[in-house]
């Protein structure tokens, strides 16, 4: 049996992920910021919702929960430290959750930075990382420090190379434009820009990617690479003492890019 993980588009560029498995009629949604497209997708695919998973408290990831609960009174799993009133099952770092009806187990990973309590949900095959690791980039620092977000991203980068990366937004093209400004000579990045453009021109999602592709092309996971250090130091106008400083500089640079 294999998993089918479908993007449900919401708002301008959000992805709500629907996890299903071939031959079963149950599904789980991740980060339902809007109920309507989720209810439509469940109806069309004749899927019964069995749980809701949340990565962080922002409205574009949580505002659909109340309405979904009216139709499906299911458990809501979410971060222990992000104060989300609709969460029924609080998840701490390393907590394991099991969904036997889908043959699915996921582990919570604390990844603070974008928000204080942001979590990822992962196993060896798939990673749901909300607004922390993006395809080709990373989330903004709203509640945490650069050092926290850097540590969080490194935790995700340590997952197996072929883990599929499901993030919360379609930002790849924009992120890769920045990545290219940092590392114009990165051949893997140049290739990724071509494939990304082809997908977007055909109106197809560029998510998921893989941990391996992110390590090869995402500047925020490459703060130890000489070319990236050099570009960051040029932008900063002075030497940077360590990888965290390189990361903080890239994040500031991207904020005004
Ligand atoms: Zn967010
Ligand atoms: Fe978001």
């Amino acid at each position: 049996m294999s998993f089918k993980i479908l993007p449900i588009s919401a708002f301008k560029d959000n992805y709500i992920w629907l996890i299903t498995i071939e031959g079963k009629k149950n599904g789980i949604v991740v980060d339902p910021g809007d109920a309507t497209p989720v209810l439509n997708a469940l109806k069309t695919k004749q899927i019964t919702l069995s749980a809701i998973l949340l990565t962080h408290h922002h409205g574009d990831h949580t505002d659909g929960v109340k309405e979904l609960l009216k139709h499906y009174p299911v458990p809501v799993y979410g971060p222990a430290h992000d104060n989300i009133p609709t969460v029924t099952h609080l998840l701490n770092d390393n907590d394991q959750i099991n969904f036997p009806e889908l043959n699915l187990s996921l582990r919570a990973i604390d990844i603070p930075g974008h928000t204080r309590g942001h979590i990822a949900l992962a196993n060896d095959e798939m990673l749901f990382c909300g607004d922390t690791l993006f395809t080709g980039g990373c989330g903004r620092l709203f509640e945490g420090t650069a050092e926290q977000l850097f540590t969080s991203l490194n935790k995700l980068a340590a997952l197996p190379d072929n883990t599929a990366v499901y993030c919360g937004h379609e930002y790849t093209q924009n992120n890769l434009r920045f990545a290219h400004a940092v590392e114009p000579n990165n051949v893997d990045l140049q290739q990724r820009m071509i494939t990304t453009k082809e997908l977007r021109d055909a109106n197809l999602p560029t998510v998921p990617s893989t941990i391996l592709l992110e390590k090869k092309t995402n500047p925020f996971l490459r703060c130890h690479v000489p070319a990236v250090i050099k570009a960051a130091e040029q932008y900063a106008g002075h030497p940077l003492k360590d990888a965290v400083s390189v990361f903080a500089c890239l994040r500031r640079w991207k904020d005004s890019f």
Side-chain angles (χ1 to χ4, degrees):
M1 280 191 293
S2 61
F3 290 107
K4 279 203 240 165
I5 302 172
L6 308 162
I8 300 172
S9 294
F11 311 117
K12 193 167 140 263
D13 49 31
N14 277 74
Y15 286 135
I16 299 165
W17 295 103
L18 173 61
I19 313 171
T20 62
I21 188 162
E22 233 161 277
K24 299 266 176 99
K25 284 291 168 200
N26 295 88
I28 293 174
V29 282
V30 184
D31 284 355
D34 191 5
T36 310
V38 175
L39 291 169
N40 289 339
L42 293 171
K43 199 174 160 196
T44 318
K45 298 178 191 314
Q46 295 182 296
I47 302 277
T48 303
L49 192 65
S50 49
I52 297 171
L53 310 182
L54 304 176
T55 63
H56 69 293
H57 72 80
H58 286 159
D60 63 316
H61 298 251
T62 57
D63 281 351
V65 174
K66 271 193 186 151
E67 182 64 26
L68 286 177
L69 290 177
K70 287 184 198 163
H71 297 80
Y72 304 94
V74 297
V76 182
Y77 297 85
H81 308 292
D82 235 11
N83 278 327
I84 309 171
T86 49
V87 169
T88 57
H89 293 65
L90 297 173
L91 298 175
N92 285 290
D93 194 33
N94 257 318
D95 281 354
Q96 178 103 9
I97 42 175
N98 300 308
F99 305 100
E101 72 281 18
L102 288 169
N103 281 335
L104 175 70
S105 297
L106 291 166
R107 175 173 64 95
I109 309 172
D110 272 345
I111 46 168
H114 178 71
T115 65
R116 197 171 304 113
H118 202 307
I119 57 166
L121 295 150
N123 60 29
D124 283 349
E125 271 178 75
M126 57 186 95
L127 163 69
F128 298 94
C129 47
D131 288 356
T132 296
L133 174 61
F134 281 127
T135 44
C138 76
R140 281 175 187 264
L141 278 167
F142 285 124
E143 298 172 11
T145 64
E147 186 158 11
Q148 278 178 322
L149 186 53
F150 179 71
T151 306
S152 297
L153 289 169
N154 282 336
K155 278 192 193 176
L156 301 183
L159 294 171
D161 278 349
N162 56 2
T163 311
V165 176
Y166 296 91
C167 58
H169 292 265
E170 177 62 60
Y171 284 164
T172 318
Q173 228 167 2
N174 208 12
N175 284 338
L176 295 186
R177 261 194 294 275
F178 175 72
H180 188 257
V182 177
E183 257 191 305
N185 300 319
N186 180 335
V187 178
D188 295 311
L189 173 60
Q190 292 163 0
Q191 186 52 51
R192 187 178 188 183
M193 292 175 85
I194 295 168
T195 18
T196 298
K197 187 178 183 320
E198 284 167 358
L199 287 168
R200 293 314 293 155
D201 286 352
N203 224 336
L204 292 168
T206 63
V207 190
S209 68
T210 63
I211 288 293
L212 180 63
L213 184 59
E214 294 308 322
K215 288 195 293 194
K216 284 180 170 175
T217 57
N218 186 330
F220 295 98
L221 301 186
R222 295 171 62 75
C223 296
H224 56 284
V225 172
V228 174
I229 299 170
K230 199 172 154 223
E233 290 184 336
Q234 237 155 39
Y235 178 79
H238 55 81
L240 298 165
K241 64 177 195 310
D242 52 21
V244 181
S245 316
V246 172
F247 174 76
C249 174
L250 289 181
R251 191 53 269 179
R252 270 196 312 276
W253 182 1
K254 173 72 166 60
D255 286 340
S256 59
F257 186 72

